[in-house]
Amino acid sequence: MAERLLMKGNEAIGEAAIHAGCRYYFGYPITPQSELTAYMARRLLKIEGAAFIQAESEIAAINMVYGASAAGGRVMTSSSSPGISLKQEGISYIACAELPCVIVNIMRGGPGLGSIQPAQGDYFQATKGGGHGDYHLIVLAPSSVQELVDLTIKAFDLSDKYRNPAMILGDGLLGQMMEPVQFKEFNKKSIPAKEDWALGSSKGREARRIVPFNLDPNELEKLVNEIGQKYQDIQKEVEYEVFNIDNPDIIIVAYGIVARIVKTAIQKAKKEGINIGLIRPITLYPFPGAAIEDIASKVEKILVTEMSLGQMVEDVKIAVNGKAKVSFYGRTGGVVISPVEILEEVKRLLK
Amino acid sequence: MKKVFAKPKSLTEIPFTYCPGCHHGIIHRLIAEAMNDLDITKETIGIAPVGCSVFAYLFFDCDMIVAAHGRAPATATGIKRVKPDNIVFTYQGDGDLASIGTAEIVHAANRSEKITVIFVNNAIYGMTGGQMAPTTLEGQVTQTSPYGRDPKTMGMPIRICELLSTLNSPAYIARVALTKPAYIVKAKKGIQKAFQYQIDGKGFSLVEVLSTCPTNWGLSPKEANEWLEKNMIPYYPLGEFKCVEEGILNVR
Ligand SMILES: Cc1ncc(C[n+]2csc(CCOP(=O)(O)OP(=O)(O)O)c2C)c(N)n1
Ligand code: SF4
C-alpha cells in the first residue's frame, strides 16, 4: 500500500506529473499556482535529462511546450487565468499539430487582472476551445487533492492517447489546500512510444514535418474534420460522480470545489428533511450530457451552482433539453460559495 | 563533362516559392550547404517561421516544424531541451524575430540556448504585403509608413546583432550580406561557423543576413541589390559581433 502524504494541491499536481513520467516543464509564475512552478523547479532540476525553464512569459512557455511535445517529450505547463489567456494562441497551434501536453489552469477571479481568489470563470475558455479555430481540449475538473493527483496522471494518458492537449481545470482553493494523498504504483508502459511521429534524427527514414496550417481550404477542412472525429471518439472518456440521487427533491450540478461545498449543503439539508442530489462532471470536455439528461427525466428541478456568472449552466440546459426546469446560482469575482447560501437557494426553489 | 555545381542534398526537390531576385532562396542554399558540409542533415531539426519563409519546412530535407509568428526561439528551446543531441535551427524574418518575437529571441540568446538562428533582415514585412518592420530604415516608404519611417513617432530601426551582443551569454553573433560573391563566401562561412558553435556545444549562435524584397521594395532584383548595398549596409554594418571561442562558461 502506497504511503499517505500530506500535500498542498499545487505541489501534488507537480509530484503527480513527475510520477507520470513528465520530465519537461515550462512556466511563468502567477498566483495562485506559483507553488507548482516552484515545485517543478525543485524536482526537475535534479533529474538527469529533464528540463525546467522559468520562461520569459506564458507565451514563450507554451511555445516551449509545443517544441518539447513535437520532439516527443512528456511535457506540462501551468498557469492561472490571465496567463492561460496568453497561452491560447500556442494551445491552438498544439491542437492543430495534434500534439499531446498537459496544461494546468488554477483559476482565479476575472476578467482582466481580476483577483487572486478562487473562481470558475474560465469554463467557457477551457471547454469551448479558448483559442482561435475549431478545436477542443480534454478538460478534467478535480475536486480534491487526491483527484488532482489522479486526474493529472489521467490527463497525460488521455493527451497521449488522442494526441490532443489536456487541461486540468482547478481553482485557487484547490491549489492552496492541503489534504492527504496517495500515489499508486505508476505503470511506465502507459507512456506510448512516440518514435513513429516525433521529430528527431531522420537517419534511415523520410524527414518529418509538423505543420499547423494548410492554405488549401479543402485540405484544411479535411484536417479539421479529422480532428473533429477525434472529439467524437473522446466522448467515451466521459466521467462524472453522482451523490445522493435516490428520490431527490432537487438535483444540483456542480464541478470542482463547488461540488464539495454542495456535499456539505446536502448534509445540512438532510437534517431539515430536504433531499438534494448531486451530479458532478469530472470531465468537463467531454461533458456528461447524457447522464444529466437521464437524471433530468427523474426530477422536476435542477440547480446549477458555479463560481461564475453562469457558464456550465448553458451546457446543462442543452443536456436537459426542457425535461426539467434548470436554474442557476452563482458567486463570482473570487467569492467562495457557502453551503448555507446553497441551501437557502434550494429552499427558495422548492417553495 | 565534370559537374561543378549542383543542388545541395540537404534541399528537397520542391521548387522554392520565393519571388525572383529574393534572397531567401540563396539563404536556404547556404544553410543546406552548411548542413551538407558538416554532415548534420539527418541530425538537424529546423523551425520555419510565419512569413514568406513559412514554406521553408518543405525545402529542407530534415525534420521540420512551423512555429507561431515570432515564437520560433521558444519552440526551438523546447525541442533542444528534449533532444540535446540534435542540431536545432530557426529561420526567421525581421517582423518575426525583431517585432512580435523580440522577447523570445532576447531570452533564448540570454539563456544561451544551444540553437542556431538564421535571421533574415529585409527591412520590411514580405508576406503580408510590405508593411513597416522594426528594421525598416529611416525615411523608407512602406504600406504603413507611407510618408517614410519617421523616427520621431516610429523609432529608429533596430540593430539586432548589436542589441544581442550587449548580452553576456550568446556565443556567436554575425551579420552578413549576399549582394556580391565575396559577401556570399563570407556568409557561407558565417552560417557554417554558427552551426559549428552549436555542434561544439558553445551556446547560442545567430547570423543576420541582409536580404532583399524586390517585390515590396518595388525594385527590380538588380536595383534591390544596389539599394541594399547603398542603404542597408551603412546602417547595418557587416562582420562578427561576438565570437566566444571557448563557449560562454569560460568567459564569465
Ligand atoms: C500572431 C500573428 N500576427 C500576425 C500575423 C500575420 N503575419 C504573417 S507574416 C507577417 C510578417 C512577416 O514578416 P517577416 O518576418 O519580416 O518575414 P518576410 O515575410 O519578410 O520574410 C505577419 C505580420 C500572423 N500570422 N500571426
Ligand atoms: S515578398 Fe519579398 S521576401 Fe517575400 S518572397 Fe517576395 S521578395 Fe522575398
Side-chain angles (χ1 to χ4, degrees):
Chain A
M1 193 67 184
E3 83 183 293
R4 273 156 71 87
L5 303 164
L6 187 64
M7 284 189 96
K8 194 171 191 172
N10 283 331
E11 301 192 332
I13 299 172
E15 190 53 39
I18 292 165
H19 191 72
C22 169
R23 291 293 175 270
Y24 307 98
Y25 176 92
F26 310 101
Y28 188 84
I30 182 169
T31 310
Q33 67 76 56
S34 294
E35 299 86 355
L36 173 49
T37 307
Y39 192 85
M40 295 311 271
R42 270 205 310 280
R43 292 285 272 112
L44 289 180
L45 289 173
K46 293 263 186 200
I47 298 177
E48 178 86 19
F52 166 88
I53 297 180
Q54 179 171 325
E56 58 270 29
S57 68
E58 287 85 352
I59 297 173
I62 193 70
N63 285 284
M64 290 175 190
V65 168
Y66 175 56
S69 181
R74 206 165 223 207
V75 54
M76 182 168 90
T77 187
S78 72
S79 192
S80 179
S81 310
I84 295 291
S85 296
L86 280 178
K87 288 186 201 286
Q88 291 301 338
E89 178 203 32
I91 296 172
S92 171
Y93 273 68
I94 293 170
C96 187
E98 296 193 79
L99 296 172
C101 70
V102 172
I103 301 148
V104 179
N105 181 3
I106 299 298
M107 291 180 279
R108 57 191 246 175
L113 190 54
S115 79
I116 56 170
Q117 303 303 323
Q120 294 183 322
D122 303 352
Y123 177 91
F124 283 153
Q125 189 193 47
T127 59
K128 309 298 176 200
H132 56 286
D134 267 340
Y135 76 92
H136 284 285
L137 304 177
I138 296 165
V139 185
L140 307 178
S143 84
S144 66
V145 179
Q146 182 64 52
E147 269 194 357
L148 285 175
V149 168
D150 299 342
L151 294 181
T152 298
I153 295 167
K154 185 169 182 160
F156 277 104
D157 289 341
L158 288 177
S159 82
D160 272 342
K161 181 172 172 188
Y162 294 100
R163 284 182 58 187
N164 196 71
M167 177 175 275
I168 295 291
L169 191 68
D171 65 81
L173 200 57
L174 210 46
Q176 295 298 322
M177 69 193 203
M178 289 184 91
E179 285 184 326
V181 290
Q182 273 180 319
F183 290 85
K184 292 186 205 95
E185 186 85 36
F186 179 70
N187 180 7
K188 292 222 166 52
K189 288 202 194 92
S190 84
I191 307 179
K194 301 178 180 180
E195 282 81 47
D196 55 340
W197 58 264
L199 303 182
S201 303
S202 54
K203 221 169 240 141
R205 62 158 167 84
E206 294 265 293
R208 282 186 190 141
R209 293 170 174 90
I210 294 181
V211 185
F213 79 97
N214 200 314
L215 296 186
D216 178 334
N218 291 310
E219 288 298 313
L220 183 60
E221 186 183 49
K222 219 160 82 190
L223 170 67
V224 177
N225 279 336
E226 275 165 26
I227 295 175
Q229 183 54 51
K230 192 162 75 178
Y231 300 137
Q232 296 305 312
D233 300 343
I234 288 175
Q235 298 305 318
K236 67 172 178 281
E237 306 292 346
V238 158
E239 201 180 326
Y240 57 91
E241 179 197 358
V242 287
F243 185 76
N244 199 43
I245 52 159
D246 295 331
N247 278 326
D249 301 313
I250 188 167
I251 289 278
I252 295 186
V253 188
Y255 72 94
I257 199 72
V258 178
R260 291 238 336 229
I261 298 166
V262 170
K263 284 184 184 172
T264 308
I266 291 173
Q267 304 310 334
K268 282 188 188 303
K270 260 192 189 144
K271 288 184 197 135
E272 303 190 27
I274 303 169
N275 209 9
I276 305 176
L278 169 70
I279 176 158
R280 171 174 78 95
I282 296 172
T283 53
L284 295 180
Y285 190 93
F287 190 68
I292 291 172
E293 184 186 11
D294 195 41
I295 260 179
S297 50
K298 293 174 195 144
V299 288
E300 266 171 49
K301 288 180 176 152
I302 291 180
L303 170 66
V304 179
T305 54
E306 294 177 74
M307 294 205 298
S308 76
L309 282 182
Q311 299 191 15
M312 183 177 69
V313 61
E314 294 190 4
D315 287 334
V316 173
K317 277 184 180 158
I318 291 170
V320 167
N321 199 15
K323 293 197 177 82
K325 188 172 177 313
V326 178
S327 48
F328 171 74
Y329 181 78
R331 297 299 299 269
T332 183
V335 178
V336 178
I337 283 187
S338 80
V340 174
E341 58 190 310
I342 292 173
L343 184 52
E344 309 249 288
E345 180 64 15
V346 166
K347 284 187 200 160
R348 202 181 64 76
L349 289 170
L350 292 179
K351 225 182 256 165
Chain B
M1 207 158 53
K2 194 176 155 218
K3 200 174 196 179
V4 292
F5 197 70
K7 197 168 179 170
K9 278 204 231 43
S10 303
L11 289 176
T12 61
E13 291 304 315
I14 297 169
F16 290 159
T17 41
Y18 303 111
C19 308
C22 175
H23 287 184
H24 270 307
I26 309 174
I27 303 167
H28 281 24
R29 192 190 164 92
L30 294 182
I31 295 169
E33 284 178 356
M35 277 160 57
N36 277 350
D37 294 352
L38 297 167
D39 196 20
I40 53 170
T41 312
K42 293 288 167 193
E43 298 306 319
T44 298
I45 304 172
I47 295 134
V50 170
C52 286
S53 43
V54 68
F55 293 111
Y57 74 89
L58 288 170
F59 306 141
F60 293 102
D61 195 21
C62 60
D63 281 8
M64 296 287 298
I65 182 169
V66 177
H69 193 32
R71 318 300 172 207
T75 303
T77 297
I79 293 174
K80 186 74 180 184
R81 295 298 182 113
V82 174
K83 296 266 164 83
D85 297 334
N86 286 101
I87 301 302
V88 177
F89 79 93
T90 72
Y91 187 101
Q92 301 179 258
D94 45 17
D96 189 88
L97 181 142
S99 190
I100 192 167
T102 327
E104 281 78 5
I105 195 64
V106 168
H107 289 278
N110 194 49
R111 287 190 304 267
S112 205
E113 292 296 338
K114 293 180 184 63
I115 61 172
T116 299
V117 175
I118 307 298
F119 168 44
V120 182
N121 176 1
N122 58 13
I124 205 157
Y125 283 25
M127 185 184 236
T128 41
Q131 298 83 2
M132 187 179 80
T135 46
T136 292
L137 293 175
E138 189 178 349
Q140 189 182 335
V141 171
T142 71
Q143 292 284 329
T144 48
S145 56
Y147 313 111
R149 180 178 190 157
D150 179 359
K152 285 209 272 309
T153 55
M154 303 169 188
M156 285 292 281
I158 292 180
R159 295 183 176 111
I160 286 294
C161 288
E162 288 82 342
L163 189 87
L164 294 182
S165 295
T166 65
L167 302 172
N168 262 326
S169 309
Y172 182 73
I173 293 179
R175 185 184 286 125
V176 300
L178 305 169
T179 51
K180 296 198 263 215
Y183 286 163
I184 295 182
V185 171
K186 272 201 177 150
K188 182 176 171 176
K189 277 198 185 126
I191 290 172
Q192 191 144 349
K193 198 161 166 182
F195 276 111
Q196 189 64 52
Y197 264 66
Q198 185 180 168
I199 295 166
D200 297 342
K202 284 178 181 163
F204 179 88
S205 56
L206 176 143
V207 179
E208 173 175 339
V209 189
L210 300 184
S211 179
T212 55
C213 179
T215 303
N216 287 302
W217 291 356
L219 300 172
S220 70
K222 181 166 174 285
E223 289 166 341
N225 274 347
E226 287 159 8
W227 190 89
L228 188 156
E229 283 188 8
K230 183 159 171 276
N231 299 287
M232 286 182 78
I233 294 178
Y235 189 81
Y236 296 115
L238 308 181
E240 291 184 326
F241 290 79
K242 212 166 177 143
C243 213
V244 184
E245 284 296 347
E246 308 79 21
I248 53 155
L249 295 175
N250 300 329
V251 293
R252 288 235 165 86

